Amino acid sequence: MKPKLGNSSKPRKFQSYSILETLPPLAKKWAESLPWEERRYVLSLCHLLCGSTPDLQAEFLDEYTADGLVARMLEDRDTQHQVQKYLFRFYLKTELNQAVLKSYVRQFFIHSSQDLREQPHDYLESALRLVISTEEKNSLFNYILGFELLKMIFQMSWAQQERLSILQKSPTSFIKNYIKPIQKAHKLNGIVVPKYERIFFEKHDYYVQIPDLSEKRSIELVMNTFTTNTVSDFGFSMIRHPQSLTFDYEYIYQPEQESIFTQDLEVINI
């Protein structure tokens, strides 16, 4: 027995209208008011976006939305000043001006596209939330703070990283989540090459070596080592709890002594 056409068409009609119901009221009103010619343009754009690779989606969304996102971020002076204050606290010289914010918007889209290469629909969904929601822009500030801090740690020697870890309330967790991945990336990319790693008195040369990293290389390493969520969560933890990362510049960057090693080297070994 053939199903009735009326019954089979109802779910589709309900589903199409339920999508419009999820839009903000002004967007829903705009979409419903479009004449047929302009609706065709919207549908064509939707088709192209959904059929594109994450990299192409990232490029389009960056070009199409960057200026608007940056303008909204600059309007949020309280969050901007709060993040800038934290950057200065960690002796980081990055200034959150329009050019820096715009470069971070582009980087955020590219980083997200790398994370979700196997799930492009999730990337597009997260990118649209970022564009539509006034609250989601804070995730960009979290991302910027977390990224700048991870770049800083990437540029430390292993001895400096250990001293930073010792200062934390939970050194073991900090080492597992941040230091080990960074040191692994150092080794895989030939930035710090351990020699006689298990022999205590042979540790000094590579252990105190300052990584020779350009700004571009540091950015690539952070993006390849950590996901956007990890970076954003790291920044958010700082904003939520200002003392979540204990930092003592003089202690961490003290001059190295030839015959003195920290006592907890085995904790950091990978």
Side-chain angles (χ1 to χ4, degrees):
M1 181 177 179
K2 295 182 179 180
K4 294 181 180 180
L5 293 177
N7 291 337
S8 62
S9 62
K10 284 185 178 179
R12 293 182 182 179
K13 185 176 181 181
F14 176 79
Q15 186 178 14
S16 65
Y17 277 99
S18 68
I19 292 174
L20 288 179
E21 293 299 329
T22 63
L23 291 172
L26 288 177
K28 178 176 178 291
K29 183 178 179 181
W30 171 82
E32 291 176 333
S33 68
L34 289 175
W36 171 240
E37 279 295 321
E38 294 181 18
R39 291 190 186 196
R40 288 171 56 194
Y41 302 150
V42 172
L43 290 171
S44 296
L45 181 58
C46 291
H47 173 72
L48 289 173
L49 269 177
C50 292
S52 299
T53 64
D55 288 342
L56 286 176
Q57 289 179 9
E59 182 179 350
F60 169 79
L61 288 167
D62 165 56
E63 293 176 355
Y64 200 67
T65 66
D67 289 335
L69 283 171
V70 169
R72 283 168 51 192
M73 293 175 74
L74 290 172
E75 289 174 357
D76 188 355
R77 296 187 180 276
D78 289 342
T79 306
Q80 181 186 356
H81 289 164
Q82 186 181 18
V83 172
Q84 189 71 75
K85 180 180 69 175
Y86 287 128
L87 292 174
F88 289 158
R89 173 188 159 197
F90 296 110
Y91 293 80
L92 298 172
K93 297 180 180 179
T94 302
E95 293 188 16
L96 300 182
N97 54 39
Q98 184 171 353
V100 169
L101 291 177
K102 188 168 183 177
S103 69
Y104 258 113
V105 169
R106 172 181 287 273
Q107 181 182 302
F108 181 85
F109 282 136
I110 294 172
H111 196 171
S112 298
S113 126
Q114 291 178 357
D115 290 348
L116 299 170
R117 198 171 298 278
E118 296 179 358
Q119 297 175 316
H121 59 285
D122 289 345
Y123 163 68
L124 181 57
E125 182 180 344
S126 63
L128 289 173
R129 283 203 309 270
L130 184 67
V131 172
I132 293 171
S133 172
T134 56
E135 297 177 358
E136 289 286 335
K137 70 179 183 303
N138 287 336
S139 66
L140 276 172
F141 280 118
N142 298 337
Y143 176 83
I144 292 171
L145 179 57
F147 203 95
E148 288 291 322
L149 290 171
L150 290 170
K151 277 198 308 180
M152 175 188 72
I153 301 173
F154 252 107
Q155 294 163 353
M156 290 180 177
S157 70
W158 289 17
Q160 291 167 347
Q161 291 173 359
E162 182 178 88
R163 289 195 287 269
L164 173 65
S165 301
I166 290 171
L167 292 173
Q168 308 314 311
K169 294 179 180 177
S170 178
T172 302
S173 176
F174 187 80
I175 289 167
K176 176 183 177 183
N177 293 330
Y178 304 109
I179 301 303
K180 281 192 173 184
I182 288 174
Q183 291 190 354
K184 183 177 181 181
H186 278 171
K187 292 166 70 175
L188 289 175
N189 290 276
I191 297 163
V192 177
V193 182
K195 186 178 181 181
Y196 307 118
E197 190 171 356
R198 301 297 175 182
I199 302 175
F200 180 81
F201 290 105
E202 295 293 337
K203 287 179 179 287
H204 188 270
D205 287 344
Y206 78 82
Y207 208 72
V208 300
Q209 175 188 342
I210 302 296
D212 184 15
L213 295 173
S214 65
E215 177 71 7
K216 181 180 178 181
R217 186 65 172 136
S218 298
I219 291 172
E220 290 173 349
L221 286 166
V222 175
M223 290 175 67
N224 291 332
T225 306
F226 299 101
T227 65
T228 52
N229 283 339
T230 299
V231 174
S232 297
D233 289 346
F234 191 36
F236 177 68
S237 67
M238 232 77 58
I239 294 175
R240 183 179 56 181
H241 299 298
Q243 301 306 317
S244 62
L245 181 67
T246 305
F247 189 80
D248 184 335
Y249 184 90
E250 299 298 330
Y251 171 68
I252 295 168
Y253 292 99
Q254 62 183 277
E256 305 296 347
Q257 299 181 44
E258 290 291 334
S259 60
I260 297 179
F261 290 86
T262 47
Q263 298 177 358
D264 208 17
L265 297 181
E266 70 275 8
V267 178
I268 290 190
N269 284 337
I270 299 172

